[in-house]
Amino acid sequence: MDLNFIQIILVIIVAFLAGVEGILDQFHFHQPVIACTLIGLVTGNLIPCLILGGTLQMIALGWANIGAAVAPDAALASVASAIILVLGGQGEAGVSSAIAIAVPLAVAGLLLTIIGRTLATAFVHLMDAAAAEGNIRKVEMWHLLAIVMQGLRIAIPAGLILAVGAGPVSSLLESMPVWLTDGLAIGGGMVVAVGYAMVINMMATREVWPFFAIGFVLATVSEITLMGLGAIGLALALIYLALSKQGGSGNGGGSNTGDPVGDIIDNY
């Protein structure tokens, strides 16, 4: 699929915002489900990109920066794989290949992230010098330039992929043999399962397991739509918030530890 000039500009803007949000983490443009959906929206491939973003989001749920350990770059993986999916022109059939491509892209993005953060240390020293001079405007300028650098970290690779064009990308995807595409689809499914398992492992507390079990059982009921599951999830969240205000104090002498279900279990 060939993109017109306006679509190319919009895709680069989305890529830039994803790079910026990878650091600011305020509006979550770097999250796969948002970045891929926005690219699909501006290119007219909303459904395939939405499926791609939702699947990648399940993988990225297990990615988190812990201390000095930097997680794989979800922003580059989302933007680049969505662009490749759009340029390939395979629609929903190309989602599996795009998912498999996204994982090594995330690792490559990790390297770019480390380089960007290393360069950002120079900006910090420049801001310190400006602060010592009492020049607040210069501090703000260097701060904005550092943020722009993070946006370019995603926008430039996105622009390079767009420069390659739809023809080579489509030819590459179509030349992949069936055994490779099937293998990538299976591998992508396994990565999704591993990512979700990592999240469950981090959330595995007695306070959360009852809600997870309820949701798991309800998800197997085919008559319940996604809207219905969303409403049930919202109701459970409201129940949990209501319990968090009570804690264990409702049964006499208990203390509110911040884990409402745990407090209730202790008291009973």
Side-chain angles (χ1 to χ4, degrees):
M1 175 181 177
D2 292 318
L3 302 179
N4 58 45
F5 179 75
I6 299 298
Q7 288 176 320
I8 292 175
I9 295 300
L10 291 175
V11 168
I12 292 178
I13 291 175
V14 171
F16 180 83
L17 292 175
V20 169
E21 280 301 297
I23 297 298
L24 297 182
D25 200 17
Q26 184 174 4
F27 299 103
H28 295 279
F29 286 118
H30 65 295
Q31 296 293 346
V33 70
I34 297 180
C36 292
T37 301
L38 289 176
I39 291 178
L41 184 63
V42 301
T43 60
N45 289 266
L46 181 59
I47 299 302
C49 288
L50 181 59
I51 295 173
L52 172 64
T55 307
L56 290 179
Q57 189 68 56
M58 298 302 296
I59 301 174
L61 284 175
W63 295 347
N65 296 328
I66 302 176
V70 182
D73 193 353
L76 181 61
S78 305
V79 170
S81 61
I83 295 174
I84 291 173
L85 175 62
V86 170
L87 294 179
Q90 295 181 326
E92 296 181 23
V95 172
S96 298
S97 299
I99 292 171
I101 294 172
V103 176
L105 285 173
V107 178
L110 174 59
L111 177 61
L112 292 176
T113 300
I114 294 174
I115 293 174
R117 296 191 180 196
T118 302
L119 294 176
T121 58
F123 288 88
V124 173
H125 293 303
L126 292 171
M127 284 188 284
D128 287 339
E133 298 173 1
N135 193 335
I136 303 301
R137 291 193 62 182
K138 187 179 291 187
V139 173
E140 295 175 346
M141 179 193 71
W142 287 118
H143 175 74
L144 291 175
L145 287 176
I147 295 298
V148 168
M149 179 184 66
Q150 296 296 337
L152 294 176
R153 174 178 58 85
I154 306 299
I156 291 176
L160 293 175
I161 297 174
L162 291 170
V164 171
V169 172
S170 179
S171 300
L172 175 62
L173 294 177
E174 291 176 357
S175 64
M176 296 172 64
V178 176
W179 62 266
L180 180 58
T181 55
D182 290 345
L184 292 176
I186 296 173
M190 293 177 62
V191 172
V192 173
V194 171
Y196 194 50
M198 292 173 63
V199 176
I200 295 176
N201 188 48
M202 291 186 292
M203 296 171 57
T205 63
R206 62 181 182 180
E207 292 78 22
V208 176
W209 274 116
F211 297 96
F212 174 78
I214 293 172
F216 185 82
V217 173
L218 290 175
T220 63
V221 182
S222 59
E223 289 78 9
I224 302 179
T225 63
L226 289 178
M227 292 295 294
L229 289 174
I232 293 172
L234 177 61
L236 291 176
L238 293 175
I239 292 173
Y240 188 90
L241 290 174
L243 291 175
S244 66
K245 297 178 181 179
Q246 298 179 8
S249 59
N251 199 37
S255 61
N256 189 344
T257 64
D259 294 326
V261 179
D263 291 334
I264 294 174
I265 292 175
D266 286 340
N267 291 331
Y268 288 95

